[in-house]
Amino acid sequence: MVKLKDVCIGLSLAVVAAIVSYLIISYNIASVAPEANRPLANMFLENVFNSEKWWLWAGSPEAVTSILWDYRGIDTVYETAVFFLAIIASIALVRTLKLTPETSGRGFGLTVIAKTVTNIVFASIPIVAYSIAVHGHLTPGGGFQGGSAFAVAPLLAISVFSLRVIVMRGWSKDRLLALRTTGLLLIGLIAIIVVALSALKGIIAYVMQNQPKPWAPAGLSAIVDFINPTLISGTLFWLNISEFLAVGAGLSLVFVLLVSPTKMLDVEVEEK
Amino acid sequence: MILEVIGWIGISLLAIGALMDVIAAIGINKFKNFYLRLHAATVGIIGGAFYPLLGLGLLSLSLEQLGVIRFYIAGISFTSAFFVLITAPVGSHILARAAHRVGVMPEPIGVDRLKEDREKGVFK
């Protein structure tokens, strides 16, 4: 049954892996991660939800979201812009594409069994995705993760119901791009809203500022009295929702474009 | 008392799940053709993922020292179990359909009603 050759290959691979890992660890080629947190991590963990040090806090117990959208928020804004440009470029590649129900395949889809179950799953994906996005300042997750989870819905629907059904339900290129752009515009608006509001009062504030600082006493309040006092962490909640809109629509658009058949490209326009 | 019973049911479901996973792994390695291996894979999903998730939910409900968190764990476990239960058969169904459509046939084959129906035009 078991060949001697297979045993030899397996054993020699195991020996090589063991020797290489021993060498790497014992000669400090790559150091093993320490068990204790690094000083930087401790600094973030101490300050991120510490209302006694209100000049350093982000108002959110979720350290990753705080770092992404507060401590280095401008970086994330530009990251979103880069992603937007990548999608613009991919649309420019297929700019002659015409997404109409007539051109987008036969539209049979898979069997009744698959369609029935996909109906149930399809309805629950946006709920989960939205929940990930709006709890982004409380639990791991956030706008990007929520949007990525949402983009599974069109992917699933395309593979089970066919592209034609998706196009007939109104998932058009322009509409998805409009949603994507709306999300990015909202992020840009939230980035400067604190500056604009504080400029009316004559205070100087930072772009992408979330919580007030002693030298720039402006910012959105971390707790909002909506039915109950609710923690929304200032701008983080709104940024997460905008990012959810942007990423969900953008990835859906890319998936719709990726599965479009080549004959949907209007070649005559290209020849002119 | 009732909580203890629920807890033991949960633990036994977890044990059944571990056993099912081993059986499925043996089946994947030993079975001869695609359809039989698909059967083993489905044993691994339903037996090795659905039962343990159900058992985890029941077990966490029985542990009062967890406080309110046990309802979160149980809720997430039951929801995941439900989705595994309804999606796993569809996955294997679609795989089997695709394999049949591209002509993967087990050897030896006695009767193939699906092929007959497709030739008659009942199915596309």
Side-chain angles (χ1 to χ4, degrees), chain A residues 111-144:
Chain A
T111 56
V112 182
I113 302 170
K115 282 180 183 171
T116 311
V117 171
T118 308
N119 272 326
I120 303 170
V121 178
F122 186 76
S124 57
I125 289 173
I127 300 170
V128 174
Y130 189 67
S131 161
I132 292 173
V134 296
H135 291 115
H137 60 293
L138 300 175
T139 53
F144 197 96

Side-chain angles (χ1 to χ4, degrees), chain A residues 69-145:
Chain A
W69 281 125
D70 188 341
Y71 293 123
R72 55 178 196 88
I74 294 179
D75 181 76
T76 313
V77 170
Y78 281 111
E79 191 190 310
T80 310
V82 166
F83 184 56
F84 181 75
L85 287 179
I87 285 176
I88 292 288
S90 67
I91 292 170
L93 278 177
V94 290
R95 61 191 175 280
T96 56
L97 184 75
K98 283 194 173 161
L99 269 177
T100 52
E102 290 75 36
T103 54
S104 50
R106 293 175 302 171
F108 288 151
L110 294 176
T111 56
V112 182
I113 302 170
K115 282 180 183 171
T116 311
V117 171
T118 308
N119 272 326
I120 303 170
V121 178
F122 186 76
S124 57
I125 289 173
I127 300 170
V128 174
Y130 189 67
S131 161
I132 292 173
V134 296
H135 291 115
H137 60 293
L138 300 175
T139 53
F144 197 96
Q145 287 81 359

Side-chain angles (χ1 to χ4, degrees), chain B:
Chain B
M1 178 59 201
I2 187 83
L3 285 181
E4 272 187 25
V5 173
I6 289 176
W8 279 108
I9 293 174
I11 289 174
S12 45
L13 280 174
L14 281 172
I16 290 173
L19 191 69
M20 289 283 198
D21 263 340
V22 174
I23 292 172
I26 294 172
I28 287 275
N29 275 312
K30 288 286 180 188
F31 280 156
K32 292 297 177 195
N33 64 51
F34 175 78
Y35 297 99
L36 294 176
R37 283 199 293 273
L38 195 58
H39 163 66
T42 316
V43 168
I45 301 170
I46 297 296
F50 171 67
Y51 283 174
L53 279 170
L54 215 57
L56 189 66
L58 291 176
L59 186 60
S60 66
L61 277 183
S62 73
L63 296 174
E64 272 185 329
Q65 60 266 35
L66 286 177
V68 187
I69 294 175
R70 70 183 193 275
F71 297 116
Y72 290 98
I73 299 174
I76 291 171
S77 300
F78 290 145
T79 315
S80 317
F82 171 72
F83 280 111
V84 168
L85 179 68
I86 63 168
T87 50
V90 176
S92 56
H93 160 71
I94 291 300
L95 280 176
R97 178 177 177 270
H100 191 274
R101 282 172 75 93
V102 299
V104 177
M105 290 298 160
E107 292 286 334
I109 179 163
V111 59
D112 191 347
R113 296 276 184 231
L114 183 56
K115 195 179 176 187
E116 289 169 17
D117 277 352
R118 199 165 274 153
E119 278 163 4
K120 274 186 227 163
V122 181
F123 293 112
K124 284 189 279 281

Side-chain angles (χ1 to χ4, degrees), chain A residues 218-231:
Chain A
L220 300 184
S221 63
I223 296 169
V224 165
D225 215 352
F226 175 71
I227 304 174
N228 293 319
T230 312
L231 180 76

Side-chain angles (χ1 to χ4, degrees), chain A residues 174-259:
Chain A
D174 294 339
R175 201 171 286 174
L176 286 171
L177 190 62
L179 276 175
R180 173 92 185 83
T181 314
T182 310
L184 194 69
L185 282 178
L186 279 175
I187 290 176
L189 188 70
I190 295 164
I192 57 167
I193 195 166
V194 174
V195 179
L197 287 179
S198 57
L200 293 178
K201 295 179 198 163
I203 307 167
I204 292 174
Y206 292 103
V207 175
M208 283 301 283
Q209 184 169 354
N210 179 16
Q211 298 298 318
K213 312 286 175 212
W215 55 90
L220 300 184
S221 63
I223 296 169
V224 165
D225 215 352
F226 175 71
I227 304 174
N228 293 319
T230 312
L231 180 76
I232 65 161
S233 310
T235 55
L236 300 190
F237 178 76
W238 307 110
L239 284 168
N240 270 328
I241 289 184
S242 314
E243 178 85 3
F244 167 71
L245 196 65
V247 172
L251 283 179
S252 307
L253 178 56
V254 168
F255 288 145
V256 168
L257 292 184
L258 275 179
V259 298

Side-chain angles (χ1 to χ4, degrees), chain A residues 119 122 161 164-172 175:
Chain A
N119 272 326
F122 186 76
F161 296 118
R164 184 191 173 94
V165 173
I166 290 293
V167 174
M168 279 167 73
R169 296 262 175 99
W171 292 63
S172 69
R175 201 171 286 174

